[in-house]
Amino acid sequence: MENNLIVSVSPHVHGKRTTSNVMLDVVIALLPAAIAGVVIFGINAAILCAVCVASCVVFEFLFTKLCHRRTTVGDFSAVVTGLLLAMNVPATLPIWQAVVGSFIAIVIVKCLFGGLGCNFANPAITARVVMLIAFTGTMAAAVPPKAIADSVDVATYATPLSVLPAGLESETVTAFMEQTSIMDMFLGVRGGALGETSAAALLIGFVYLLVRKVITWHTPVVFIGAVFALAFAITGDMTMALYYTLSGGTFIGAIFMATDYVTSPSTAKGKIVFALGCAVITTLIRFFGSYPEGVSFSILFMNILNPYIDKWTMKKPFGGVKA
Amino acid sequence: MSFFGIKGVHVPHRKHTADCHPERMPIPKTVVIPMAQHIGAPAKPVVNVGDTVGVGQIIGEAAGFISAPVHASVSGTVKKIDTMANSNGGTMTAITIESDGEMRAHESVVPPTVTNYDEFVAAVRASGIVGLGGAGFPTFVKLSVKDLSKVEEVVLNGAECEPYITADTLTMTDRADDIFEGIQLLEKYLGVKKVIIGIEDNKPQAIKAMQELSKKDSAIVVKPMPAAYPQGGEKVLIYNTTGKTVPEGKLPLDVGCIVMNVTTLACIAEYVRTGMPLVEKCLTVDGSAVATPKNVIAPIGTSMKDVFDFCGGFKEEPRKVMYGGPMMGIAVPTLDEPILKNTNAILAFNDKDATLPDETPCIHCGNCINHCPLNLNPPAIAKALASGDGAEIAKTKVNICMECGACVFVCPAHRMIVHRNKLAKAELRAYQTKLAEQKKKEEENK
């Protein structure tokens, strides 16, 4: 009997958190926005979500098999990447492009850098950026919500961010605001990627993540708050600032992409610096860059700075003296 | 540092035995008493095989300043003096005594004469009492203060933040008088003006008992603290009760504090009153494999097996048995391990509790960093350790890690952080020794 005793290093109890239940929580938190995407843009949204999730999981499985590594699909991180990627593409994206995007996210950005925990940039964000450049036509397409698809000219329909820069006095902006109220913007009845439009659904996911203590409030609140403040400072108008904040990928970026554990800082201070950086770059691109939207670029850029931010914002060891 | 003090981790409490008043177990047939039950030099055996010994007789004398004497815990005959494996992997001398079942006290057991500070410290030294919270640091060393005016307060550690363990809780509820006597001794001989008793708020009965004491003596302050592991860690306790930070490499005394476990103090009072040294220990026996968890008073040197047998044996096959709580406890390879002075619990886990999940890749969630009571950065330590560069390891300050295990508890990837920190500390020590040698050589060459 006594030879059966396990001797191991303390502690001998672990908490209930596991990587897979953290990832599962993120999937659950993404569901309201995914469902909103299907309601707003139609069944194509659901198909794209399924395709991206399936191809991400398959790519990860094949890669680990090919490299004779322990398969990691059980931790659901590939599911998260797939779902996030799908939510970042327009509902009309061709299926094959979604598969290519999944390949970029999982194989190139994640697995080639060593798999879970070793990628320096967020796989879904990087894939989105690559696709935006490679498939500009389909990725930047302004897909109108189902509800107004019959009443608008699809050929001239535009996403908020391509309209807003004309300024409050311009007729197109007035017409756009008449067509899409602040409430529509909040609920997500506007053009954009299939999972990014509904701030309401994304906020439900945010609250869930907070309650489950998967993430802290710092990054999303600072990111969204700073985007709003900067937009207000530049336009000098509350309505315009609100439209800007609710446009593009601010909410999905701030809540789900900029909070990615692997590619964002660990401490509260670091998260605030990271979020501020994201908001500033997003705003600079939106107002002064040649792309209408800057959330993906800003997060990718801050991902690259992350090791430095993490280093500079690390806590000081308790009572530690200089070596 | 947070305004609200150092926050901790919410570990499960599992204080099943909080209402189990200690039961004295029957006298074991034999006891195995190690000479190294404390931090510092092991005691030197002063009896021979075949000698007859009485309870409380010195069988090992302190060897050096930081050391403590060891006493016979049963009366009987010395059977063996040999070496045994200690739980750290090294070896130590141990004396086996066969009990005659009489528990006859040795004639040297008489109340000590204590009339001044020096006699008090000498008495504590003679009692063989060491830090009973788990550390096992000889208590008289803590009390040996060059300048008594520097002692601003004594912090009594009643936090008992480890899951399962209730031995200190029962000291506070059942031996409040001993604690009070102990406090009076400290006031009288050390001139202590303030005594803070830190207790986690999941022990209302202990808080109540100690508050009764503070009514009798205004120097006593009871400080209930949130039940968050590791409130009982020395530096954490000092910060959360007094707001003082003990700098790296310094002792609590350097910031005017003496920290002592409540049971340690109760035992000092008992020794001064009766002259019986530390020969028995109250400990919590619990865990999913134990038939009847309870608090047991056992002679030091009793084998774990005898203690478990007294608790009805096992209801399931034990797969992991440890000294202490599950957060910092030391797993043992056999049930022959003896109860030591600083053993406050022995736990036996069934198969389900004994097997822990495998390690998966770090996902940089930051939980370890955000929950480390000492603000360390475990991923950076792991990276420095992997690099093998002593200078890099030194920068991480892994040397201040108290191995509380909070980081592992909150890690979703079940990373073996404590394990790596221990390795990093060893690497760091080797590096520092090498540096010191190099420096010495350079000086010689000059």
Side-chain angles (χ1 to χ4, degrees):
Chain A
M1 181 174 84
E2 290 181 15
N3 293 333
N4 240 342
L5 292 180
I6 300 170
V7 177
S8 63
V9 181
S10 61
H12 307 290
V13 279
H14 286 194
K16 294 201 179 78
R17 271 277 167 227
T18 62
T19 300
S20 51
N21 73 30
V22 166
M23 295 298 168
L24 211 54
D25 270 343
V26 178
V27 172
I28 293 169
L30 278 169
L31 285 182
I35 292 166
V38 177
V39 172
I40 295 164
F41 296 105
I43 193 70
N44 238 4
I47 295 171
L48 277 172
C49 286
V51 167
C52 285
V53 170
S55 41
C56 280
V57 170
V58 168
F59 283 133
E60 181 158 309
F61 179 75
L62 290 179
F63 189 92
T64 48
K65 271 276 166 271
L66 212 66
C67 299
H68 303 289
R69 289 185 168 204
R70 198 168 66 168
T71 178
T72 46
V73 289
D75 62 28
F76 298 110
S77 64
V79 176
V80 170
T81 300
L83 197 52
L84 265 179
L85 180 64
M87 293 174 72
N88 272 293
V89 302
T92 50
L93 190 81
I95 300 284
W96 71 269
Q97 290 182 357
V99 175
V100 171
S102 303
F103 179 84
I104 295 165
I106 290 294
V107 177
I108 295 180
V109 187
K110 186 180 173 190
C111 292
L112 284 183
F113 281 89
L116 181 66
C118 299
N119 47 297
F120 72 92
N122 183 315
I125 282 279
T126 315
R128 180 188 179 165
V129 169
V130 171
M131 289 163 79
L132 196 61
I133 295 163
F135 313 128
T136 312
T138 44
M139 278 297 285
V143 185
K146 258 194 326 183
I148 52 168
D150 299 334
S151 58
V152 298
D153 181 356
V154 176
T156 59
Y157 186 74
T159 56
L161 285 173
S162 48
V163 179
L164 291 172
L168 208 49
E169 298 79 26
S170 107
E171 274 174 35
T172 41
V173 172
T174 328
F176 172 77
M177 285 185 178
E178 253 167 47
Q179 185 188 53
T180 312
S181 67
I182 286 278
M183 193 39 108
D184 287 338
M185 291 291 288
F186 182 67
L187 293 175
V189 192
R190 51 112 169 152
L194 69 90
E196 73 178 14
T197 65
S198 179
L202 290 163
L203 282 174
I204 294 172
F206 178 42
V207 171
Y208 178 79
L209 291 180
L210 282 183
V211 170
R212 298 281 297 155
K213 292 190 176 157
V214 172
I215 61 169
T216 59
W217 59 269
H218 304 87
T219 310
V221 169
V222 172
F223 193 157
I224 296 170
V227 163
F228 175 79
L230 288 168
F232 182 71
I234 292 172
T235 61
D237 182 79
M238 192 59 98
T239 320
M240 281 297 265
L242 270 177
Y243 268 94
Y244 265 109
T245 311
L246 291 166
S247 295
T250 320
F251 278 72
I252 194 169
I255 298 169
F256 291 98
M257 318 284 254
T259 54
D260 172 33
Y261 286 154
V262 183
T263 56
S264 72
S266 301
T267 64
K269 215 197 287 176
K271 289 183 210 291
I272 291 170
V273 172
F274 185 91
L276 280 175
C278 287
V280 168
I281 298 169
T282 298
T283 308
L284 286 178
I285 294 176
R286 280 183 179 180
F287 285 94
F288 308 108
S290 45
Y291 277 91
E293 171 59 318
V295 169
S296 314
F297 291 107
S298 76
I299 296 173
L300 183 57
F301 187 78
M302 293 309 286
N303 282 167
I304 294 165
L305 286 183
N306 173 45
Y308 299 97
I309 299 172
D310 223 7
K311 200 172 163 189
W312 295 329
T313 56
M314 203 41 75
K315 297 180 190 177
K316 194 180 160 294
F318 185 77
V321 291
K322 276 217 170 100
Chain B
M1 188 52 53
S2 159
F3 175 73
F4 300 102
I6 300 173
K7 285 179 203 150
V9 178
H10 294 281
V11 296
H13 298 315
R14 298 184 190 158
K15 304 273 189 186
H16 311 125
T17 53
D19 299 319
C20 302
H21 295 284
E23 291 174 37
R24 197 173 294 273
M25 68 173 280
I27 307 152
K29 281 202 181 68
T30 54
V31 290
V32 178
I33 305 178
M35 293 293 106
Q37 301 184 44
H38 48 260
I39 293 176
K44 219 168 65 212
V46 290
V47 288
N48 295 309
V49 174
D51 284 3
T52 308
V53 293
V55 181
Q57 179 179 347
I58 291 192
I59 55 172
E61 63 181 18
F65 179 66
I66 301 183
S67 184
V70 176
H71 303 85
S73 59
V74 295
S75 59
T77 320
V78 176
K79 277 286 151 194
K80 255 194 315 197
I81 299 177
D82 58 359
T83 54
M84 65 178 286
N86 69 17
S87 45
N88 290 331
T91 55
M92 57 185 177
T93 308
I95 296 177
T96 307
I97 302 172
E98 195 177 77
S99 166
D100 57 15
E102 286 173 18
M103 292 304 262
R104 176 178 41 79
H106 188 250
E107 63 264 20
S108 64
V109 177
V110 285
T113 324
V114 177
T115 54
N116 57 34
Y117 168 75
D118 289 334
E119 283 174 358
F120 176 62
V121 174
V124 175
R125 179 166 203 201
S127 71
I129 291 170
V130 300
L132 301 181
F137 189 75
T139 303
F140 86 93
V141 180
K142 274 190 194 176
L143 299 178
S144 305
V145 186
K146 282 201 189 89
D147 181 0
L148 282 174
S149 66
K150 283 218 177 106
V151 180
E152 287 162 26
E153 65 258 299
V154 168
V155 180
L156 288 185
N157 192 348
E160 202 160 53
C161 52
E162 278 264 10
Y164 293 99
I165 311 180
T166 59
D168 284 344
T169 305
L170 283 147
T171 301
M172 289 185 276
T173 55
D174 293 14
R175 298 178 69 187
D177 292 342
D178 282 348
I179 295 176
F180 189 67
E181 261 182 61
I183 292 171
Q184 285 181 315
L185 289 171
L186 295 177
E187 287 172 354
K188 197 165 166 190
Y189 298 117
L190 271 76
V192 173
K193 298 275 184 301
K194 192 175 177 190
V195 177
I196 305 172
I197 310 178
I199 309 169
E200 280 194 349
D201 60 12
N202 63 347
K203 295 176 260 297
Q205 70 277 45
I207 294 174
K208 203 168 146 241
M210 292 299 101
Q211 275 166 346
E212 289 297 317
L213 299 188
S214 66
K215 281 180 199 160
K216 290 195 273 179
D217 182 348
S218 60
I220 303 174
V221 181
V222 179
K223 171 104 181 159
M225 306 178 294
Y229 184 84
Q231 285 286 17
E234 192 169 67
K235 287 181 179 181
V236 177
L237 183 76
I238 292 173
Y239 187 82
N240 285 353
T241 52
T242 69
K244 292 175 182 174
T245 302
V246 182
E248 175 188 355
K250 297 282 181 184
L251 295 170
L253 199 55
D254 294 315
V255 295
C257 277
I258 292 179
V259 182
M260 203 185 278
N261 173 273
V262 284
T263 306
T264 309
L265 186 64
C267 290
I268 290 175
E270 197 187 340
Y271 176 74
V272 171
R273 195 176 62 236
T274 65
M276 181 56 85
L278 185 62
V279 292
E280 60 179 21
K281 188 69 206 299
C282 170
L283 58 138
T284 302
V285 186
D286 202 345
S288 48
V290 176
T292 326
K294 50 174 99 169
N295 281 300
V296 177
I297 298 174
I300 283 159
T302 311
S303 74
M304 282 190 179
K305 186 179 179 305
D306 287 346
V307 180
F308 282 123
D309 283 346
F310 175 64
C311 296
F314 299 112
K315 60 182 176 194
E316 276 181 74
E317 188 196 343
R319 289 301 313 281
K320 191 182 267 181
V321 173
M322 70 198 76
Y323 280 121
M327 293 301 289
M328 290 186 73
I330 299 168
V332 296
T334 132
L335 292 175
D336 296 332
E337 299 283 343
I339 302 305
L340 307 173
K341 288 178 182 177
N342 59 352
T343 306
N344 45 18
I346 55 172
L347 305 178
F349 284 175
N350 63 14
D351 192 54
K352 186 171 153 276
D353 287 350
T355 30
L356 292 169
D358 283 342
E359 183 174 76
T360 58
C362 171
I363 53 171
H364 300 272
C365 64
N367 275 353
C368 51
I369 296 168
N370 291 315
H371 285 91
C372 176
L374 302 179
N375 289 346
L376 295 172
N377 181 346
I381 295 169
K383 211 171 147 192
L385 175 66
S387 78
D389 182 346
E392 283 301 312
I393 298 174
K395 276 187 208 157
T396 66
K397 295 286 172 201
V398 67
N399 49 309
I400 68 169
C401 170
M402 56 177 163
E403 300 168 18
C404 71
C407 47
V408 182
F409 186 83
V410 296
C411 178
H414 309 285
R415 305 290 297 171
M416 295 166 71
I417 301 167
V418 171
H419 175 82
R420 286 195 183 83
N421 286 9
K422 279 175 190 270
L423 290 174
K425 282 179 176 181
E427 286 271 325
L428 182 59
R429 277 193 297 272
Y431 168 74
Q432 281 165 340
T433 319
K434 213 176 89 191
L435 271 193
E437 274 168 12
Q438 261 173 15
K439 213 172 157 191
K440 212 170 137 194
K441 241 182 221 163
E442 272 166 28
E443 270 169 19
E444 275 168 10
N445 288 345
K446 263 178 198 172

